[in-house]
Amino acid sequence: MAARFAIHSETRTSEKNARYEINDPASLHAALTHRRHQDLLRRARHGRARAHLRAARRARRGRPLPGGLGPCIPGSCPDPFPEINNGPIAGRDDAINVFVGNDFLVRGRAAEAEGRVVVLDEFDQNKDPSAGGLYNLGIAGVGSRVAPPVDSGFLTAGGNVTIAAGQTLETTGGQPGERGIVRYAGTQTGTVNGELIQDDAAIEPYAGLRDQLTDASRCYARVDGRPRTATGTAVNQGTQTLFTGDGTSALQVFNVDFDMVGPGARSRASSSPAFRTTRPFWSTSSGRTGC
């Protein structure tokens, strides 16, 4: 049975015959840009139209996904967002980049997850020993090099954080001055290069997010009970899956009927000026999804 999801570009799945819905929020994201907001406020201050001020206020409230998930949240959001590289830290993004509704299991040859990571249950790292014992989280060795703010939670877990013997969870990127905060509600075992904070209420701000995302995902997947028409293509190229959107639709829809997992697999997008490879897919087109 085909599953339907709102997908972020770093998500990996081995589920066959999945239909992925990538939220590409148009008017919501475009209105949120700092430049647009300031322009609306400036025109309102000059008395040209009170409607501009009301639009600016609505823009600040606009959210493309539940729980405030979506585009970069300052920090200091780079513009344009960097391509994949291994250079200096390019900015700070306080948005959640990876949300896991159950357990986050680091297995096989997994290497890293960039940005803030929120896990409702357990975080468990037990990689293939032949792949080395290091897993980077928060700051990727090769990625956008846009890290979470220094004082934010790089990893937040509602259960235990368990790192296998001989392995290391690295949340500072080896950078001086980085705290790499790991906040967890359960217990912690194993080696973590980062600041550990035990907090029984660690996951409380995100407790309802799983159900909210489930409802939103169903809405992205269907309209009037019928699957939405695909707006682009998805092609497994062996080392990556290339998503090509139409560059205009508010909601980008892709049919994926193959296994995205492969050697060195990653996701890449094209045909929209705001698409990028290590964060959620967004476009700057106008229109609303109704979700």
Side-chain angles (χ1 to χ4, degrees), residues 13-35:
T13 181
S14 59
E15 182 175 356
K16 301 284 188 178
N17 301 320
R19 177 184 174 93
Y20 290 88
E21 308 288 341
I22 298 181
N23 184 24
D24 197 12
S27 56
L28 296 176
H29 177 45
L32 279 172
T33 64
H34 178 74
R35 183 178 301 171

Side-chain angles (χ1 to χ4, degrees), residues 98-104 118-122 209-210 213:
V98 179
F99 174 79
V100 181
N102 288 300
D103 299 329
F104 190 130
V118 173
V119 183
L120 290 191
D121 295 322
E122 315 283 325
L209 192 50
R210 174 170 50 197
L213 284 172

Side-chain angles (χ1 to χ4, degrees), residues 35-56:
R35 183 178 301 171
R36 174 64 174 157
H37 178 61
Q38 292 301 315
D39 180 64
L40 290 171
L41 288 178
R42 183 169 58 255
R43 280 186 280 173
R45 282 196 298 268
H46 282 81
R48 293 182 180 179
R50 292 184 180 180
H52 290 306
L53 182 57
R54 291 195 296 271

Side-chain angles (χ1 to χ4, degrees), residues 243-248 252 269-275 283:
F243 295 90
T244 303
D246 63 10
T248 59
Q252 294 292 323
S270 68
S271 296
S272 174
F275 275 172
S283 94

Side-chain angles (χ1 to χ4, degrees), residues 42-126:
R42 183 169 58 255
R43 280 186 280 173
R45 282 196 298 268
H46 282 81
R48 293 182 180 179
R50 292 184 180 180
H52 290 306
L53 182 57
R54 291 195 296 271
R57 288 170 176 166
R58 286 196 301 270
R60 292 184 68 88
R61 293 196 297 268
R63 289 179 175 178
L65 284 171
L69 300 182
C72 182
I73 298 175
S76 54
C77 300
D79 185 16
F81 217 84
E83 295 294 328
I84 292 178
N85 70 97
N86 63 349
I89 298 297
R92 300 283 175 173
D93 180 3
D94 201 33
I96 298 171
N97 193 42
V98 179
F99 174 79
V100 181
N102 288 300
D103 299 329
F104 190 130
L105 306 179
V106 180
R107 297 291 189 267
R109 306 184 67 84
E112 52 196 8
E114 186 174 57
R116 291 187 60 210
V117 177
V118 173
V119 183
L120 290 191
D121 295 322
E122 315 283 325
F123 180 91
D124 187 284
Q125 177 180 328
N126 190 2

Side-chain angles (χ1 to χ4, degrees), residues 26-266:
S27 56
L28 296 176
H29 177 45
L32 279 172
T33 64
H34 178 74
R35 183 178 301 171
R36 174 64 174 157
H37 178 61
Q38 292 301 315
D39 180 64
L40 290 171
L41 288 178
R42 183 169 58 255
R43 280 186 280 173
R45 282 196 298 268
H46 282 81
R48 293 182 180 179
R50 292 184 180 180
H52 290 306
L53 182 57
R54 291 195 296 271
R57 288 170 176 166
R58 286 196 301 270
R60 292 184 68 88
R61 293 196 297 268
R63 289 179 175 178
L65 284 171
L69 300 182
C72 182
I73 298 175
S76 54
C77 300
D79 185 16
F81 217 84
E83 295 294 328
I84 292 178
N85 70 97
N86 63 349
I89 298 297
R92 300 283 175 173
D93 180 3
D94 201 33
I96 298 171
N97 193 42
V98 179
F99 174 79
V100 181
N102 288 300
D103 299 329
F104 190 130
L105 306 179
V106 180
R107 297 291 189 267
R109 306 184 67 84
E112 52 196 8
E114 186 174 57
R116 291 187 60 210
V117 177
V118 173
V119 183
L120 290 191
D121 295 322
E122 315 283 325
F123 180 91
D124 187 284
Q125 177 180 328
N126 190 2
K127 296 176 55 177
D128 182 343
S130 67
L134 182 67
Y135 188 76
N136 296 319
L137 187 145
I139 302 175
V142 178
S144 71
R145 302 296 284 169
V146 178
V150 173
D151 295 330
S152 70
F154 282 37
L155 170 62
T156 302
N160 302 329
V161 172
T162 304
I163 313 301
Q167 300 191 17
T168 299
L169 174 64
E170 173 62 72
T171 57
T172 69
Q175 303 283 331
E178 293 288 351
R179 297 176 66 187
I181 295 174
V182 175
R183 191 182 303 273
Y184 56 96
T187 62
Q188 190 278 320
T189 57
T191 302
V192 175
N193 286 343
E195 182 176 336
L196 296 169
I197 299 177
Q198 200 286 328
D199 178 2
D200 290 343
I203 213 67
E204 188 171 306
Y206 316 105
L209 192 50
R210 174 170 50 197
D211 291 341
Q212 294 168 22
L213 284 172
T214 298
D215 290 343
S217 185
R218 288 171 179 158
C219 182
Y220 300 141
R222 294 176 177 272
V223 58
D224 296 329
R226 297 181 178 181
R228 295 181 187 267
T229 302
T231 60
T233 61
V235 179
N236 188 335
Q237 298 181 331
T239 58
Q240 68 177 14
T241 297
L242 177 63
F243 295 90
T244 303
D246 63 10
T248 59
S249 299
L251 183 70
Q252 294 292 323
V253 181
F254 302 87
N255 293 327
V256 179
D257 57 0
F258 52 83
D259 192 340
M260 292 175 62
V261 177
R266 62 189 179 94

